[in-house]
Amino acid sequence: MSDRTPLPRLAVLCSGRGSNLGAILAAIAAGTLDAQIVGVFSDKPKCAALRLVPEALRWSAKPGDFATRGDFDQALGDAIVAARPDWIACAGYMRILDGAFVERFRGRLLNIHPSLLPRHRGLDTHQRALEAGDREHGASVHFVIPELDAGAVIAQIVVPVQPGDTPQTLAERVQAQEHHLYPEVLRWAVAGRLHERDATAVLDGHTLFTPRRLEFAE
Ligand code: GAR
């Protein structure tokens, strides 16, 4: 990329540890993701994720300080708009986004979810995969729509369930792969290869009727 071409701008939404944000930052630092983080936004002012970026890039607020969910999401959305991102990546953002927020950023708003969607939307996915006797589990990156974890799935990684797995052991293996999956999908996004059209994901002009299944060596 030429020095004069501005780097694509990423906003990242986090609520917790921030290991996916860390993987995105590492990919940028390694020169394998041509993008810049223009803001990290959180509903948990004390979360570890925020500390991964300089203070000038942090925005956080407590939802309890706002009268309604819509008021919080309006303030969050206004802060994101002020950062002028090209793409917005939810990376362990654990609060449901209201419909107005999603529509505001629709088509530019991605999420990583720890299951092979459409299986196991919502919370406690690793435990639910084990309880269901699933032989395969994994993670998905999808476009965000107002219905929770229901947007078009772009790409997935698959993790075989092993005898003796606990929710923790399974989560560790899934998250290790998430750290490859999200930067890869963001590479497609910032390169202009990825679009949401008629509620489906389109990569390189081709509708993804099924998500791309990606494999990464550890
Ligand atoms: C990740 O495993 C992500 O898939 C999941 O939270 C974890 C965040 O980890 N996201 C969800 O469950 C969204 N509903 P991190 O903070 O270390 O990136």
Side-chain angles (χ1 to χ4, degrees):
M1 188 169 283
S2 110
D3 286 347
R4 280 177 298 164
T5 309
L7 284 170
R9 303 168 68 85
L10 297 179
V12 182
L13 274 60
C14 299
S15 302
R17 191 166 65 116
S19 68
N20 276 285
L21 171 62
I24 294 166
L25 288 164
I28 291 172
T32 60
L33 175 60
D34 280 328
Q36 57 180 318
I37 301 287
V38 293
V40 174
F41 301 83
S42 185
D43 61 328
K44 300 270 186 228
K46 294 194 169 145
C47 76
L50 282 169
R51 294 198 297 274
L52 297 179
V53 293
E55 211 166 336
L57 296 184
R58 301 176 197 162
W59 181 93
S60 66
K62 288 187 196 154
D65 291 343
F66 293 77
T68 65
R69 173 179 295 276
D71 287 350
F72 177 83
D73 280 0
Q74 178 74 36
L76 171 66
D78 290 349
I80 291 171
V81 167
R84 296 183 292 109
D86 297 301
W87 289 88
I88 300 138
C90 298
Y93 186 70
M94 301 307 285
R95 189 175 160 80
I96 292 174
L97 295 161
D98 80 352
F101 180 97
V102 173
E103 290 305 335
R104 194 172 179 184
F105 298 107
R106 181 97 192 241
R108 294 279 161 184
L109 184 57
L110 302 173
N111 181 46
I112 190 160
H113 180 78
S115 79
L116 293 173
L117 290 171
R119 280 186 82 67
H120 309 308
R121 293 174 182 164
L123 297 175
D124 303 323
T125 56
H126 308 298
Q127 180 161 345
R128 285 159 58 210
L130 290 173
E131 283 169 2
D134 292 355
R135 300 173 69 165
E136 287 187 330
H137 186 46
S140 307
V141 175
H142 64 94
F143 282 103
V144 177
I145 63 170
E147 191 185 342
L148 184 66
D149 300 329
V153 181
I154 301 157
Q156 298 179 318
I157 52 89
V158 177
V159 170
V161 177
Q162 290 173 359
D165 259 335
T166 65
Q168 288 72 28
T169 60
L170 199 47
E172 277 167 24
R173 294 206 309 286
V174 169
Q175 284 183 3
Q177 290 286 308
E178 288 184 4
H179 300 159
H180 299 289
L181 174 65
Y182 219 172
E184 179 67 7
V185 173
L186 288 170
R187 258 174 228 123
W188 300 344
V190 300
R193 299 172 56 192
L194 184 63
H195 302 275
E196 186 193 31
R197 197 181 299 146
D198 300 331
T200 57
V202 176
L203 179 63
D204 295 330
H206 301 287
T207 299
L208 296 177
F209 293 112
T210 55
R212 283 287 164 91
R213 290 260 170 126
L214 302 181
E215 287 181 28
F216 303 96
E218 262 317 293

